[in-house]
Amino acid sequence: MGTPAEADRGEPGGIRTALAGLTTRGRSFLAAGVAAVVCAYILGQADLRRVGLLLAVLPLICATVLYRTRYRVAGSRRLSPARVPAGSEARVHLRMDNVSRLPTGLLMLQDRVPYVLGPRPRFVLDRVEPGGRREVSYRVRSDLRGRYPLGPLQLRLTDPFGMCELTRSFSTFDTLTVIPKVELLPPIRLSGEAKGYGDGRQRSLALAGEDDVIPRGYRYGDDLRRVHWRSTARYGELMVRREEQPQRARCTVLLDTRGLAYEGAGPDSAFEWAVSGAASVLVHMLERGFSVRLLTDTGSSVPGEGSDGFAGSQESADAAGLMLDTLAVVDHSDGAGLSRAYDVLRGGNEGLLMAFLGDLDEEQAAVVAKMRRRSGGAVAFVLDPDTWVREPTDVPAPGHAPEQRLRMLREAGWTAVGVPRGASLAELWRQADRERSSAAAVGGEGR
């Protein structure tokens, strides 16, 4: 975005600001000039007085000229791209335009960036001709997701003699969004998919029977076997039956954000793995044509999301962007339970339920178990906080509570998978499919 440099023109105390910008050299010249003038009056030396006046006036002239010309520079910043996954780099392009009729002196450019993005970039630009421009760029990278402001841009101007140095801060800034990492998932068939937009999708005609179907005009490529002859005779043109309307499959991704359910912090923590996993599943389901909804333990979802979530369609990229932007800033909640999320699910429609859960006590495991009743299929990735903070050589105590919680969820009909530290979501995704298939086979044999 372009940023004109006239914002501070006419500020009160402008001369004082210009004098405060005198460098060590400029202050030394001014002090030497004043001292020479005083000595000249005392000693009666006219030549010394002229030298003293020259030394004292030179830094003042430089400060005045620099102060009056510093507003004739415009700056702009461009991010490429403006949204990056955690651990990836983005490039920031800076452009300075000299919009005055006079050439500039030496320009020192500095952009303000948060500490997590790296060191503050600094550039030195040589003389810029009237109407000319200079372009520089630098890279930023963050392992932590979030929204980070870039700017304001600071410009330090100096005169050719190095007597004065003034800093100009532009007023605008840009925002870099660091989204969670998205892992590509293999296309598997999970329980509950047949109730929607999969191979076993249900279809419904526009109205009750074939004779009551509302026809439409024939289009090139339509199957002639779908011609509705009665309507064709009535309207005098070829009419065909409307296509059957498939019911779109629904998928809800539940993300447990309770602060007490996770331990540790940083890009390799359990909570960051859960956020990245939720993002991966959201993108995967959108690409497969599901109507996807993101839900947290607080009962909140993505702003602008419909009652059935975002539909997977040609706008799925926009929907994924909104969800990833939401996950970029999601943080721990102060809640102690999952009852709010259960209330939302209790009033919803059937579909797939994919949950990323932290530590569960017996009460919260019972709440999660009840969520299964309102879903066509349910898969839970349960993160044991102990495995993410203890050493790999440590052995869990007998009767480890997380194993009991997994067993409780499986008995309620969940496909529950424990998540060890550093696990690959793609592998756990396949494991969930194998466990679901095994459970379905056992259920078939039992019948």
Side-chain angles (χ1 to χ4, degrees), residues 338-409:
L338 299 165
S339 57
R340 292 184 181 179
Y342 171 69
D343 292 338
V344 174
L345 292 172
R346 186 170 52 182
N349 297 318
E350 294 184 355
L352 276 172
L353 175 59
M354 315 293 293
F356 291 84
L357 306 170
D359 189 24
L360 297 174
D361 55 23
E362 187 174 355
E363 179 183 355
Q364 298 310 314
V367 174
V368 175
K370 290 189 295 184
M371 295 179 182
R372 175 65 178 86
R373 304 171 186 171
R374 294 301 302 172
S375 63
V379 179
F381 298 94
V382 184
L383 290 86
D384 177 11
D386 292 341
T387 63
W388 287 78
V389 295
R390 70 166 183 251
E391 294 298 325
T393 56
D394 295 343
V395 179
H400 198 40
E403 291 298 330
Q404 299 177 2
R405 306 293 181 254
L406 290 175
R407 189 181 308 112
M408 185 176 179
L409 295 182

Coordinates of all heavy atoms in Angstrom, one line a residue, residues 338-409:
L338 N -16.5 -29.9 28.3 CA -16.9 -29.9 26.9 C -18.4 -29.9 26.7 O -19.0 -30.2 25.7 CB -16.4 -31.2 26.2 CG -14.9 -31.3 26.2 CD1 -14.4 -32.7 25.9 CD2 -14.2 -30.4 25.2
S339 N -19.1 -29.5 27.8 CA -20.6 -29.5 27.7 C -21.2 -28.5 26.7 O -22.2 -28.8 26.1 CB -21.2 -29.2 29.1 OG -20.7 -27.9 29.6
R340 N -20.5 -27.4 26.5 CA -21.0 -26.4 25.5 C -21.0 -27.0 24.1 O -21.9 -26.8 23.3 CB -20.2 -25.1 25.6 CG -20.5 -24.3 26.9 CD -19.7 -23.0 26.8 NE -19.9 -22.2 28.0 CZ -19.3 -21.0 28.3 NH1 -18.5 -20.5 27.3 NH2 -19.5 -20.4 29.4
A341 N -19.9 -27.7 23.8 CA -19.8 -28.3 22.5 C -20.8 -29.4 22.3 O -21.4 -29.6 21.2 CB -18.4 -28.8 22.3
Y342 N -21.1 -30.1 23.4 CA -22.1 -31.2 23.3 C -23.5 -30.6 23.1 O -24.3 -31.2 22.3 CB -22.1 -32.0 24.6 CG -23.2 -32.9 24.8 CD1 -23.3 -34.1 23.9 CD2 -24.2 -32.7 25.7 CE1 -24.3 -35.0 24.0 CE2 -25.3 -33.6 25.8 CZ -25.3 -34.7 25.0 OH -26.4 -35.6 25.0
D343 N -23.8 -29.4 23.7 CA -25.1 -28.8 23.5 C -25.3 -28.4 22.0 O -26.3 -28.5 21.5 CB -25.2 -27.6 24.4 CG -25.3 -27.9 25.8 OD1 -25.7 -29.1 26.1 OD2 -25.0 -27.1 26.7
V344 N -24.2 -27.9 21.4 CA -24.3 -27.6 20.0 C -24.5 -28.8 19.1 O -25.3 -28.8 18.2 CB -23.0 -26.8 19.5 CG1 -23.0 -26.5 18.0 CG2 -22.8 -25.5 20.3
L345 N -23.7 -29.9 19.4 CA -23.9 -31.1 18.6 C -25.2 -31.7 18.8 O -25.8 -32.4 17.9 CB -22.8 -32.1 19.0 CG -21.4 -31.7 18.6 CD1 -20.3 -32.6 19.2 CD2 -21.2 -31.6 17.1
R346 N -25.8 -31.6 20.0 CA -27.1 -32.3 20.3 C -28.2 -31.7 19.5 O -29.1 -32.4 19.1 CB -27.4 -32.1 21.8 CG -28.6 -32.8 22.3 CD -28.7 -32.8 23.8 NE -28.6 -31.4 24.3 CZ -28.7 -31.2 25.6 NH1 -28.8 -32.1 26.5 NH2 -28.6 -29.9 26.0
G347 N -28.1 -30.5 19.1 CA -29.1 -29.9 18.2 C -28.8 -29.9 16.8 O -29.5 -29.3 15.9
G348 N -27.7 -30.5 16.4 CA -27.3 -30.5 15.0 C -27.7 -31.7 14.2 O -28.5 -32.6 14.7
N349 N -27.3 -31.8 13.0 CA -27.6 -32.9 12.1 C -26.6 -34.0 12.1 O -25.4 -33.8 12.5 CB -27.8 -32.4 10.6 CG -29.0 -31.4 10.5 OD1 -30.0 -31.6 11.1 ND2 -28.7 -30.4 9.8
E350 N -26.9 -35.2 11.7 CA -26.0 -36.3 11.7 C -24.9 -36.1 10.6 O -25.1 -35.4 9.6 CB -26.7 -37.6 11.4 CG -27.7 -38.0 12.5 CD -28.3 -39.4 12.2 OE1 -28.0 -39.9 11.1 OE2 -29.0 -39.9 13.1
G351 N -23.8 -36.7 10.9 CA -22.6 -36.6 9.9 C -21.4 -37.0 10.6 O -21.4 -37.6 11.8
L352 N -20.3 -36.9 10.0 CA -19.0 -37.2 10.6 C -18.6 -36.3 11.7 O -18.9 -35.1 11.6 CB -17.9 -37.2 9.5 CG -17.8 -38.5 8.7 CD1 -16.8 -38.2 7.6 CD2 -17.3 -39.7 9.5
L353 N -18.1 -36.8 12.8 CA -17.5 -36.0 13.9 C -16.1 -36.4 14.1 O -15.8 -37.5 14.4 CB -18.3 -36.3 15.1 CG -17.8 -35.6 16.4 CD1 -17.8 -34.1 16.2 CD2 -18.7 -35.9 17.6
M354 N -15.2 -35.4 13.8 CA -13.8 -35.6 14.0 C -13.3 -34.7 15.2 O -13.5 -33.5 15.1 CB -13.0 -35.2 12.7 CG -13.6 -35.8 11.4 SD -13.5 -37.6 11.3 CE -11.8 -37.8 11.1
A355 N -12.8 -35.4 16.2 CA -12.5 -34.6 17.4 C -11.0 -34.7 17.7 O -10.4 -35.8 17.6 CB -13.3 -35.2 18.6
F356 N -10.4 -33.6 18.1 CA -9.0 -33.6 18.6 C -9.1 -33.1 20.1 O -9.4 -32.0 20.4 CB -8.2 -32.6 17.8 CG -7.9 -33.1 16.4 CD1 -8.9 -32.9 15.4 CD2 -6.8 -33.7 16.0 CE1 -8.7 -33.3 14.1 CE2 -6.6 -34.2 14.8 CZ -7.5 -34.0 13.8
L357 N -8.8 -34.1 20.9 CA -9.0 -33.9 22.4 C -7.7 -33.9 23.2 O -6.8 -34.7 22.8 CB -10.0 -35.0 22.9 CG -11.3 -35.1 22.1 CD1 -12.0 -36.4 22.6 CD2 -12.2 -33.9 22.3
G358 N -7.7 -33.1 24.2 CA -6.6 -33.2 25.1 C -6.9 -34.2 26.3 O -7.6 -35.2 26.1
D359 N -6.4 -33.9 27.4 CA -6.5 -34.8 28.6 C -8.0 -34.8 29.0 O -8.7 -33.8 29.1 CB -5.7 -34.3 29.7 CG -5.6 -35.3 30.9 OD1 -5.9 -36.5 30.6 OD2 -5.4 -34.9 32.0
L360 N -8.5 -36.0 29.2 CA -9.9 -36.2 29.6 C -10.0 -36.9 31.0 O -9.4 -38.0 31.2 CB -10.6 -37.1 28.6 CG -10.8 -36.5 27.1 CD1 -11.4 -37.6 26.2 CD2 -11.6 -35.3 27.1
D361 N -10.8 -36.3 31.9 CA -11.1 -37.0 33.1 C -12.3 -37.9 32.8 O -12.9 -37.9 31.7 CB -11.3 -36.1 34.3 CG -12.4 -35.0 34.0 OD1 -13.2 -35.3 33.1 OD2 -12.3 -34.0 34.6
E362 N -12.7 -38.6 33.8 CA -13.9 -39.5 33.6 C -15.1 -38.8 33.3 O -15.9 -39.3 32.4 CB -14.1 -40.4 34.9 CG -15.1 -41.5 34.7 CD -15.2 -42.4 36.0 OE1 -14.3 -42.2 36.9 OE2 -16.0 -43.2 36.0
E363 N -15.4 -37.6 33.8 CA -16.6 -36.9 33.6 C -16.6 -36.4 32.1 O -17.6 -36.5 31.4 CB -16.7 -35.7 34.5 CG -17.9 -34.9 34.3 CD -18.0 -33.7 35.2 OE1 -17.1 -33.6 36.1 OE2 -18.9 -32.8 35.1
Q364 N -15.5 -35.8 31.7 CA -15.4 -35.3 30.3 C -15.4 -36.4 29.3 O -16.0 -36.3 28.2 CB -14.2 -34.4 30.1 CG -14.2 -33.2 31.0 CD -15.5 -32.4 31.0 OE1 -16.1 -32.2 29.9 NE2 -16.1 -32.1 32.1
A365 N -14.9 -37.6 29.6 CA -14.9 -38.7 28.7 C -16.3 -39.2 28.5 O -16.7 -39.6 27.4 CB -14.0 -39.8 29.2
A366 N -17.2 -39.1 29.6 CA -18.6 -39.5 29.5 C -19.3 -38.5 28.6 O -20.2 -38.9 27.8 CB -19.2 -39.5 30.9
V367 N -19.0 -37.2 28.6 CA -19.6 -36.2 27.8 C -19.3 -36.5 26.3 O -20.1 -36.4 25.4 CB -19.2 -34.8 28.2 CG1 -19.7 -33.7 27.2 CG2 -19.7 -34.4 29.6
V368 N -18.0 -36.8 26.1 CA -17.6 -37.1 24.7 C -18.2 -38.3 24.2 O -18.6 -38.4 23.0 CB -16.0 -37.2 24.6 CG1 -15.6 -37.7 23.2 CG2 -15.4 -35.9 25.0
A369 N -18.4 -39.3 25.1 CA -19.0 -40.6 24.7 C -20.5 -40.3 24.2 O -21.0 -40.9 23.2 CB -19.0 -41.6 25.8
K370 N -21.2 -39.4 24.8 CA -22.5 -39.1 24.4 C -22.6 -38.4 23.1 O -23.7 -38.4 22.4 CB -23.2 -38.2 25.5 CG -23.5 -39.0 26.8 CD -24.3 -38.2 27.8 CE -23.6 -36.9 28.3 NZ -24.5 -36.2 29.3
M371 N -21.6 -37.7 22.7 CA -21.6 -37.0 21.4 C -21.7 -38.0 20.3 O -22.2 -37.6 19.2 CB -20.3 -36.2 21.2 CG -20.1 -35.1 22.2 SD -18.5 -34.2 21.9 CE -18.5 -33.0 23.2
R372 N -21.4 -39.2 20.5 CA -21.4 -40.2 19.4 C -22.9 -40.4 18.9 O -23.1 -40.8 17.8 CB -20.8 -41.5 19.9 CG -20.9 -42.7 18.9 CD -20.1 -42.4 17.7 NE -20.2 -43.5 16.8 CZ -21.2 -43.7 15.9 NH1 -22.2 -42.9 15.8 NH2 -21.1 -44.8 15.1
R373 N -23.8 -40.2 19.8 CA -25.2 -40.5 19.4 C -25.7 -39.6 18.3 O -26.7 -39.9 17.6 CB -26.1 -40.3 20.7 CG -25.7 -41.1 21.9 CD -26.5 -40.8 23.1 NE -26.0 -41.5 24.3 CZ -26.4 -41.2 25.5 NH1 -27.3 -40.2 25.7 NH2 -25.9 -41.9 26.5
R374 N -25.2 -38.4 18.1 CA -25.6 -37.5 17.1 C -24.7 -37.4 15.9 O -24.7 -36.4 15.2 CB -25.7 -36.1 17.7 CG -26.8 -35.9 18.8 CD -28.2 -36.2 18.3 NE -28.5 -35.4 17.2 CZ -29.6 -35.6 16.4 NH1 -30.4 -36.6 16.7 NH2 -29.9 -34.7 15.4
S375 N -24.0 -38.5 15.6 CA -23.1 -38.5 14.5 C -23.3 -39.8 13.7 O -23.5 -40.9 14.3 CB -21.7 -38.3 14.9 OG -21.2 -39.3 15.7
G376 N -23.0 -39.8 12.4 CA -23.0 -41.0 11.6 C -21.8 -41.7 11.8 O -21.7 -42.9 11.5
G377 N -20.7 -41.1 12.2 CA -19.4 -41.7 12.4 C -18.6 -40.8 13.3 O -18.7 -39.6 13.2
A378 N -17.8 -41.3 14.1 CA -17.0 -40.4 15.0 C -15.6 -41.0 15.2 O -15.4 -42.2 15.5 CB -17.7 -40.4 16.4
V379 N -14.6 -40.1 15.0 CA -13.2 -40.4 15.2 C -12.6 -39.4 16.2 O -12.8 -38.2 16.0 CB -12.5 -40.4 13.8 CG1 -11.0 -40.7 14.0 CG2 -13.1 -41.4 12.8
A380 N -11.9 -39.9 17.1 CA -11.3 -39.1 18.2 C -9.8 -39.3 18.2 O -9.3 -40.5 18.2 CB -11.9 -39.3 19.5
F381 N -9.0 -38.2 18.1 CA -7.6 -38.3 18.3 C -7.3 -37.7 19.7 O -7.5 -36.5 19.9 CB -6.9 -37.5 17.2 CG -7.1 -38.0 15.8 CD1 -8.1 -37.5 15.0 CD2 -6.3 -39.1 15.3 CE1 -8.3 -38.0 13.8 CE2 -6.5 -39.6 14.1 CZ -7.6 -39.0 13.3
V382 N -6.9 -38.5 20.6 CA -6.8 -38.1 22.0 C -5.3 -38.0 22.4 O -4.5 -38.9 22.2 CB -7.4 -39.2 23.0 CG1 -7.4 -38.7 24.4 CG2 -8.9 -39.4 22.6
L383 N -4.9 -36.8 22.8 CA -3.5 -36.5 23.1 C -3.3 -36.7 24.6 O -3.9 -36.0 25.4 CB -3.1 -35.1 22.7 CG -3.1 -34.9 21.2 CD1 -4.4 -34.5 20.6 CD2 -2.1 -33.7 20.9
D384 N -2.4 -37.6 25.0 CA -2.1 -37.8 26.3 C -1.0 -36.8 26.7 O 0.1 -36.9 26.2 CB -1.6 -39.2 26.5 CG -1.1 -39.5 28.0 OD1 -1.4 -38.7 28.8 OD2 -0.5 -40.6 28.2
P385 N -1.3 -35.8 27.6 CA -0.2 -34.8 27.9 C 1.0 -35.4 28.5 O 2.1 -34.8 28.3 CB -1.0 -33.9 28.9 CG -2.1 -34.7 29.4 CD -2.5 -35.6 28.4
D386 N 0.9 -36.5 29.2 CA 2.1 -37.1 29.9 C 3.1 -37.6 28.8 O 4.3 -37.4 29.0 CB 1.7 -38.3 30.7 CG 0.9 -37.9 31.9 OD1 1.0 -36.7 32.3 OD2 0.2 -38.7 32.5
T387 N 2.6 -38.1 27.7 CA 3.6 -38.6 26.7 C 4.3 -37.5 26.0 O 5.3 -37.7 25.3 CB 2.9 -39.5 25.7 OG1 1.9 -38.7 25.0 CG2 2.2 -40.6 26.3
W388 N 3.7 -36.2 26.1 CA 4.3 -35.1 25.4 C 5.3 -34.3 26.2 O 6.0 -33.5 25.7 CB 3.2 -34.2 24.9 CG 2.4 -34.7 23.7 CD1 1.5 -35.6 23.8 CD2 2.6 -34.4 22.4 NE1 1.0 -35.9 22.5 CE2 1.7 -35.1 21.6 CE3 3.4 -33.5 21.7 CZ2 1.6 -35.0 20.2 CZ3 3.3 -33.4 20.3 CH2 2.4 -34.2 19.6
V389 N 5.3 -34.6 27.5 CA 6.2 -33.9 28.4 C 7.3 -34.8 29.1 O 8.3 -34.4 29.5 CB 5.4 -33.2 29.5 CG1 4.6 -32.1 28.9 CG2 4.6 -34.1 30.4
R390 N 7.0 -36.1 29.2 CA 7.9 -37.0 29.8 C 8.9 -37.5 28.8 O 8.7 -37.4 27.5 CB 7.2 -38.2 30.5 CG 6.6 -39.2 29.5 CD 6.2 -40.5 30.2 NE 5.7 -41.5 29.2 CZ 4.4 -41.8 29.2 NH1 3.6 -41.3 30.0 NH2 4.1 -42.7 28.3
E391 N 10.0 -38.1 29.3 CA 11.1 -38.6 28.4 C 10.6 -39.9 27.7 O 9.7 -40.7 28.3 CB 12.3 -38.9 29.2 CG 13.0 -37.7 29.7 CD 13.4 -36.8 28.6 OE1 13.8 -37.3 27.5 OE2 13.4 -35.5 28.8
P392 N 11.0 -40.2 26.5 CA 10.5 -41.4 25.8 C 10.8 -42.7 26.6 O 10.2 -43.7 26.4 CB 11.3 -41.4 24.5 CG 11.6 -40.0 24.3 CD 11.9 -39.4 25.7
T393 N 11.9 -42.7 27.4 CA 12.3 -43.9 28.2 C 11.4 -44.2 29.4 O 11.4 -45.3 29.9 CB 13.7 -43.8 28.6 OG1 13.9 -42.6 29.4 CG2 14.7 -43.7 27.4
D394 N 10.6 -43.2 29.8 CA 9.7 -43.4 30.9 C 8.6 -44.3 30.6 O 8.0 -44.3 29.5 CB 9.1 -42.0 31.4 CG 10.2 -41.1 31.9 OD1 11.3 -41.6 32.2 OD2 9.9 -39.9 32.0
V395 N 8.2 -45.2 31.5 CA 7.2 -46.1 31.3 C 5.9 -45.7 32.1 O 6.0 -45.3 33.3 CB 7.6 -47.5 31.8 CG1 6.5 -48.5 31.6 CG2 8.9 -48.0 31.1
P396 N 4.8 -45.6 31.4 CA 3.6 -45.2 32.1 C 3.2 -46.2 33.2 O 3.5 -47.4 33.1 CB 2.5 -45.2 31.0 CG 3.0 -46.1 30.0 CD 4.5 -46.0 30.0
A397 N 2.6 -45.7 34.2 CA 2.2 -46.5 35.4 C 1.1 -47.4 35.0 O 0.3 -47.2 34.0 CB 1.7 -45.6 36.5
P398 N 0.9 -48.6 35.7 CA -0.2 -49.5 35.4 C -1.5 -48.8 35.5 O -1.7 -48.0 36.4 CB 0.1 -50.6 36.4 CG 1.5 -50.5 36.8 CD 1.8 -49.0 36.7
G399 N -2.5 -49.2 34.7 CA -3.8 -48.6 34.7 C -3.7 -47.2 34.3 O -4.4 -46.3 34.8
H400 N -2.9 -46.9 33.3 CA -2.7 -45.5 32.8 C -4.1 -45.0 32.4 O -4.8 -45.6 31.6 CB -1.8 -45.6 31.6 CG -1.2 -44.2 31.2 ND1 -0.8 -43.3 32.2 CD2 -1.0 -43.6 30.0 CE1 -0.4 -42.2 31.6 NE2 -0.5 -42.4 30.3
A401 N -4.5 -43.8 32.9 CA -5.8 -43.2 32.8 C -6.2 -43.0 31.3 O -7.3 -43.3 30.9 CB -5.9 -41.9 33.6
P402 N -5.3 -42.5 30.4 CA -5.6 -42.3 29.0 C -6.1 -43.5 28.3 O -7.0 -43.5 27.5 CB -4.4 -41.7 28.4 CG -3.7 -41.0 29.5 CD -4.0 -41.8 30.7
E403 N -5.5 -44.7 28.6 CA -5.9 -45.9 28.0 C -7.3 -46.3 28.4 O -8.1 -46.8 27.6 CB -5.0 -47.0 28.4 CG -3.6 -46.9 27.8 CD -3.6 -47.0 26.2 OE1 -4.6 -47.6 25.7 OE2 -2.8 -46.4 25.6
Q404 N -7.7 -46.0 29.7 CA -9.0 -46.2 30.1 C -10.0 -45.3 29.4 O -11.1 -45.7 29.1 CB -9.1 -46.0 31.6 CG -8.2 -47.0 32.4 CD -8.3 -46.7 33.9 OE1 -9.0 -45.8 34.4 NE2 -7.5 -47.4 34.7
R405 N -9.6 -44.1 29.1 CA -10.5 -43.1 28.4 C -10.7 -43.6 27.0 O -11.8 -43.5 26.5 CB -9.9 -41.7 28.5 CG -9.6 -41.2 29.8 CD -10.8 -41.0 30.7 NE -10.4 -40.5 32.0 CZ -10.3 -41.2 33.1 NH1 -10.7 -42.5 33.1 NH2 -9.9 -40.7 34.3
L406 N -9.7 -44.1 26.4 CA -9.8 -44.6 25.0 C -10.8 -45.8 25.0 O -11.6 -45.9 24.1 CB -8.4 -45.0 24.4 CG -7.5 -43.8 24.1 CD1 -6.1 -44.4 23.7 CD2 -8.0 -42.9 23.0
R407 N -10.6 -46.7 25.9 CA -11.5 -47.8 26.0 C -13.0 -47.4 26.2 O -13.9 -48.0 25.6 CB -11.1 -48.8 27.1 CG -11.8 -50.1 27.1 CD -11.3 -51.0 28.2 NE -9.9 -51.1 28.3 CZ -9.1 -50.6 29.2 NH1 -9.7 -49.9 30.2 NH2 -7.8 -50.7 29.2
M408 N -13.1 -46.4 27.0 CA -14.5 -45.9 27.2 C -15.1 -45.3 26.0 O -16.3 -45.5 25.7 CB -14.4 -44.8 28.4 CG -15.8 -44.3 28.8 SD -15.5 -43.1 30.2 CE -17.3 -42.7 30.5
L409 N -14.3 -44.6 25.2 CA -14.9 -44.0 24.0 C -15.1 -45.1 22.9 O -16.1 -45.0 22.2 CB -13.8 -43.0 23.4 CG -13.6 -41.7 24.2 CD1 -12.6 -40.8 23.5 CD2 -14.9 -41.0 24.5

